[in-house]
Amino acid sequence: MSTIEKVQEDVLVEEQVGINNEIVLYNDDVNTFDHVIDTLIRVCQHTAEQAEQCAILVHYKGKCTVKTGHYDELKPQCTQLLEAGLSAEII
């Protein structure tokens, strides 16, 4: 006769809860694609391709998350975007 053993294991799952915020860039009818792209490269350290993709998303979707991180890191970047005439906020 054989014995079948059931083994129940408790598995601890650790979730990483981040305090990440996002800079959301909004569409406007004022700024050119070139200005938006140049500003994202300068302020958010985007590559040219990233900046162009974000500009296209903003244009067609109305908004795009351009940067994520801790609020304290994002605040100066968001301020620079606003000073450049772009519409942005941290959420």
Side-chain angles (χ1 to χ4, degrees):
M1 198 183 330
S2 65
T3 304
I4 299 175
E5 244 181 77
K6 277 189 172 179
V7 177
Q8 184 176 358
E9 251 181 74
D10 287 330
V11 178
L12 206 54
V13 177
E14 192 173 316
E15 287 185 34
Q16 183 177 8
V17 179
I19 310 173
N20 280 338
N21 297 96
E22 303 174 348
I23 296 178
V24 178
L25 184 65
Y26 295 97
N27 191 32
D28 61 40
D29 294 329
V30 179
N31 294 292
T32 66
F33 273 92
D34 286 339
H35 177 65
V36 173
I37 291 167
D38 291 342
T39 304
L40 289 173
I41 291 170
R42 180 176 51 82
V43 173
C44 297
Q45 292 79 45
H46 282 199
T47 64
E49 293 80 13
Q50 283 177 303
E52 184 177 351
Q53 289 173 352
C54 287
I56 291 169
L57 284 171
V58 167
H59 181 72
Y60 287 107
K61 299 287 186 181
K63 65 181 181 178
C64 176
T65 298
V66 294
K67 197 77 171 178
T68 59
H70 291 281
Y71 182 85
D72 293 339
E73 297 168 359
L74 299 180
K75 180 65 177 159
Q77 291 176 324
C78 189
T79 299
Q80 289 179 342
L81 293 173
L82 295 171
E83 287 172 352
L86 303 182
S87 299
E89 72 173 341
I90 299 174
I91 60 169

